[in-house]
Amino acid sequence: MIPRFGPAPRPGQSYRLRPGAYAVLLRGGQVLLTHQDGPEPEYQLPGGGIDAGEGAVAALHREVREETGYRIGALRGLGAYRRFCFMPEYDLMAEKLCGVWLGRPIRRDGPPTEPGHRAVWMAPAAALACLADPGARFWMARALRLRSVL
């Protein structure tokens, strides 16, 4: 069973399934996040929706490049979680099915190409404290524990 984080679905509300791929990216004792401007500015794990006909790992590479400007590698699957939320940029009530990977930023090709996004490096404790999504916090904490035993 895939764990759910955040509020339960509202009875009678319909939700559109929105699969996505996200990464906990670590390098030199720092975590790479993306900051998204907009109606609800927030820090997030880099990643996003999987387009029709696209694989999860291909979507992850594309989304991280768009949101941070970085190419990534050394990916290791961590797990998945569900989240029911409103996505204001799409005016959509969504059931997000979020796959999460641990990886490394390899090189930066340039600035983010996704409007309203910027790449931010943080210490792990600060990154955990500023992530609004409880599922993202859970998987980041797990990735940090896993990294300490590798």
Side-chain angles (χ1 to χ4, degrees):
M1 175 169 232
I2 298 172
R4 175 183 52 82
F5 289 88
R10 294 184 212 153
Q13 173 68 57
S14 65
Y15 293 86
R16 182 171 163 206
L17 184 61
R18 181 81 169 135
Y22 300 87
V24 176
L25 299 170
L26 305 171
R27 186 172 74 188
Q30 298 261 301
V31 178
L32 179 61
L33 298 180
T34 184
H35 183 269
Q36 181 177 347
D37 298 331
E40 297 176 19
E42 65 182 6
Y43 290 95
Q44 303 170 346
L45 292 179
I50 300 170
D51 293 338
E54 184 177 43
V57 172
L60 183 61
H61 282 277
R62 176 184 53 76
E63 285 283 348
V64 170
R65 225 175 16 259
E66 291 173 356
E67 293 181 356
T68 69
Y70 279 89
R71 293 193 179 267
I72 58 174
L75 294 175
R76 179 178 182 172
L78 292 173
Y81 69 100
R82 294 182 316 138
R83 170 178 183 220
F84 293 86
C85 62
F86 178 65
M87 298 178 70
E89 64 273 24
Y90 300 106
D91 191 30
L92 173 71
M93 294 300 289
E95 176 187 358
K96 294 182 81 172
L97 180 56
C98 308
V100 184
W101 283 260
L102 172 62
R104 290 183 44 85
I106 303 300
R107 76 167 192 267
R108 190 163 193 196
D109 287 343
T113 58
E114 183 77 25
H117 285 76
R118 65 185 164 90
V120 180
W121 287 98
M122 289 188 185
L128 279 169
C130 74
L131 286 172
D133 175 4
R137 283 194 309 270
F138 172 86
W139 286 108
M140 181 183 287
R142 180 165 280 186
L144 292 169
R145 285 192 306 273
L146 177 65
R147 183 174 168 239
S148 70
V149 297
L150 293 179

